[in-house]
Amino acid sequence: MKPDYSFTSRIISSLVLSAILMFFIGCSGDGPSPVELSAAFTASITSSEIGQSITYTDQSTGNPVSWNWTFEGGDPATSTEQNPTVTYPSVGTFDVSLTVSNQTTEDDLTKADYVSIIQTITADFSFSATTVLEGESIQYNDESTGDPTEWNWTFEGGDPETSTEQNPEVTYNKAGVYSVTLTSYNSSDDQTIVEERLISVTCTGIYCEPTFSTYKKTNVVYGVDPEGHQMIVYEPSDDTRTDRPVVAIMGGGAFEGTNLDLLEPLAINLVNHGAIVALLAYRVIDTEDGTTELVNAQQDCRTAVRYLRKEAINLGINPEHIFIGGNGSGAFAALFHAYVDESDLSSAELDIINGLGGLEGENQGNTGFNSEVSGIVSLAGGMYNTLDPVTNQDVPIYAIHGTSDTEVPYDSKATTPITYGSKSIIDKVNSVGLKGQLYTIEGGSHSAPRERSDDYILELMYFIRDIVQ
């Protein structure tokens, strides 16, 4: 029997036809379409410093098999890696481009200004000296890194006061302790460095160095209260001057009584440098009213100043060079005396004060002499409620305060009433155009200003010298 080849042919034809149909069905769009090629990428960072590496990561779709990168300003400038790493040797904002291909097609993407490269500035400088005499000069040299091209200097107490030179020379003509500020710039960055209290400008002679090695002290009564109005006058021995400045300092003790011996080290330091010192006690009032205590104490400050002015010839002092000061509560009284007058008070406040004898307290003695002062020396002092009484018509102040004072805040404290410490007062004084200097004792307690006068005596004397000469 012969094989049936016609049947076999029919089977083969049917299989071929099925395969052809399956091919066309698969291409008809009813199945999944291939992913379109689309270039995309990300960067590990888009803001960088010179020399810092940036890694670019390909995020393209459509199964690319080749990559052509172009990095404006980069190193390398081009790459065929899928995920290249690039550094930039110069400052600027740069484009990045990627072209991808999958052998049958290609796509490209450019991100304009995609990467920003900066050069960080670190401001720094050196100096030829930190201590000079009046009239001497200091050479400053810029040592900033980051290729600065511009410089702005500020020299507190210097001549010139400012400079845009890279390496300026500055002359200091007045004794004091001064800060230096430098801001360095390049095309993409800037930084400022402040060296606080860097330069000490000294002088020679009286007020500038310990001139008197011995002193004498005298106890006097400066008002009508023999017990409350006690004053201890310290003056240099064998000093024949008749126009000496005097610093009157009221003791502390929260208006409950004061130990003036605690202020003797400061008094001796001032006397050794050529000033007269009058340490002041105050009347102790049997009251729980802090306002009454403060008003009475500031009256005692004014009474003491009137006494010093009345006795100027006998004491050998210049009546135009009287400074008022205080420690703690005594400084509150001194600040009230120097900065508050009747125009600063409401009618209600004035009624209260007038009921206590008025601001001047002339019933406490030494009438006919004024109580004006040339400046203030405040140790751990403060003001209550407001700083508005401070104006440019008032007197300069030198304040000393510890940052860890738990009794009177270094800056301010939202108590009732609000208490403003030395930092707030000095800021206010300087803001109205007066001269205000603050000696900060880092970590210092309430007692630190009276205990550490060796640390600031020269600066305090420069303050006094600047006013009296």
Side-chain angles (χ1 to χ4, degrees):
M1 182 177 179
K2 295 182 179 179
D4 187 355
Y5 291 108
S6 62
F7 174 77
T8 302
S9 297
R10 288 196 299 272
I11 294 297
I12 292 172
S13 298
S14 177
L15 290 173
V16 170
L17 179 60
S18 296
I20 292 170
L21 288 172
M22 289 298 294
F23 173 79
F24 282 105
I25 290 171
C27 296
S28 67
D30 294 336
S33 300
V35 177
E36 182 180 358
L37 182 68
S38 179
F41 61 87
T42 59
S44 56
I45 51 177
T46 57
S47 180
S48 174
E49 297 182 24
I50 287 178
Q52 186 176 357
S53 296
I54 299 178
T55 298
Y56 293 92
T57 302
D58 172 48
Q59 300 283 348
S60 303
T61 58
N63 300 316
V65 295
S66 67
W67 302 265
N68 285 306
W69 297 84
T70 301
F71 304 107
E72 181 187 14
D75 181 17
T78 61
S79 176
T80 57
E81 295 180 14
Q82 183 177 8
N83 301 307
T85 297
V86 181
T87 60
Y88 290 83
S90 60
V91 170
T93 302
F94 302 110
D95 300 347
V96 177
S97 297
L98 170 62
T99 300
V100 292
S101 172
N102 62 4
Q103 293 184 338
T104 60
T105 186
E106 67 178 26
D107 189 43
D108 60 73
L109 171 66
T110 296
K111 295 187 178 183
D113 297 336
Y114 185 53
V115 175
S116 295
I117 307 300
I118 66 170
Q119 185 168 27
T120 300
I121 284 277
T122 300
D124 197 11
F125 62 90
S126 61
F127 31 83
S128 60
T130 57
T131 301
V132 292
L133 285 169
E134 287 179 327
E136 293 183 340
S137 299
I138 295 176
Q139 176 67 50
Y140 292 93
N141 292 307
D142 168 55
E143 294 191 357
S144 304
T145 59
D147 296 329
T149 56
E150 294 181 45
W151 303 266
N152 279 329
W153 299 83
T154 300
F155 304 105
E156 183 185 15
D159 181 17
E161 296 180 355
T162 62
S163 177
T164 56
E165 296 181 13
Q166 183 176 8
N167 302 308
E169 183 178 69
V170 180
T171 302
Y172 291 88
N173 295 313
K174 184 183 294 184
V177 180
Y178 302 113
S179 302
V180 178
T181 302
L182 168 63
T183 302
S184 299
Y185 304 82
N186 63 22
S187 60
S188 61
D189 193 26
D190 63 82
Q191 188 185 57
T192 298
I193 181 173
V194 181
E195 292 286 355
E196 298 281 359
R197 304 175 58 81
L198 175 67
I199 304 301
S200 179
V201 182
T202 64
C203 51
T204 58
I206 201 163
Y207 308 135
C208 299
E209 54 193 356
T211 305
F212 301 95
S213 58
T214 60
Y215 65 92
K216 59 183 180 180
K217 63 180 185 179
T218 307
N219 292 284
V220 301
V221 176
Y222 67 85
V224 299
D225 187 333
E227 185 176 346
H229 289 151
Q230 290 289 320
M231 175 188 289
I232 306 175
V233 178
Y234 293 75
E235 57 184 317
S237 300
D238 303 320
D239 181 12
T240 59
R241 291 174 300 146
T242 60
D243 61 347
R244 301 174 291 185
V246 57
V247 183
I249 306 173
M250 180 168 279
F255 303 126
E256 296 176 358
T258 186
N259 181 0
L260 296 182
D261 291 342
L262 297 175
L263 291 170
E264 184 165 271
L266 172 59
I268 294 172
N269 249 334
L270 286 164
V271 167
N272 287 347
H273 286 80
I276 291 182
V277 177
L279 300 184
L280 311 177
Y282 48 78
R283 291 169 292 155
V284 177
I285 309 298
D286 185 15
T287 180
E288 297 293 325
D289 182 13
T291 298
T292 298
E293 292 175 324
L294 177 58
V295 170
N296 276 275
Q298 69 85 35
Q299 287 174 345
D300 294 342
C301 284
R302 296 173 191 267
T303 302
V305 170
R306 293 197 301 269
Y307 172 84
L308 293 169
R309 188 159 277 120
K310 182 179 73 172
E311 297 295 327
I313 294 176
N314 294 331
L315 293 172
I317 64 177
N318 186 329
E320 301 305 315
H321 295 157
I322 299 175
F323 295 78
I324 190 65
N327 176 58
S329 55
F332 275 80
L335 286 159
F336 194 107
H337 166 195
Y339 286 149
V340 179
D341 55 38
E342 291 188 355
S343 64
D344 299 312
L345 302 169
S346 68
S347 58
E349 290 170 330
L350 201 53
D351 286 343
I352 293 172
I353 291 174
N354 287 337
L356 296 170
L359 276 179
E360 280 296 326
E362 290 189 342
N363 59 341
Q364 299 303 312
N366 310 309
T367 59
F369 295 87
N370 72 65
S371 61
E372 294 178 1
V373 294
S374 298
I376 308 166
V377 179
S378 173
L379 286 70
M383 295 177 69
Y384 292 126
N385 289 323
T386 178
L387 298 177
D388 289 345
V390 181
T391 72
N392 61 5
Q393 301 301 307
D394 288 313
V395 295
I397 176 175
Y398 186 91
I400 312 100
H401 214 125
T403 57
S404 297
D405 189 333
T406 58
E407 298 184 39
V408 180
Y410 170 74
D411 195 343
S412 62
K413 189 174 183 180
T415 53
T416 303
I418 296 173
T419 305
Y420 295 97
S422 297
K423 174 65 165 56
S424 294
I425 294 170
I426 294 299
D427 287 346
K428 173 66 174 181
V429 166
N430 288 328
S431 73
V432 300
L434 290 175
K435 179 180 180 180
Q437 291 179 242
L438 174 61
Y439 186 89
T440 298
I441 302 176
E442 293 293 340
S445 65
H446 185 64
S447 61
R450 62 172 171 78
E451 294 172 340
R452 294 174 57 176
S453 63
D454 286 349
D455 295 346
Y456 60 81
I457 185 62
L458 279 178
E459 189 173 326
L460 173 55
M461 290 310 305
Y462 298 154
F463 169 80
I464 293 171
R465 175 178 180 255
D466 192 36
I467 293 172
V468 303
Q469 287 191 343

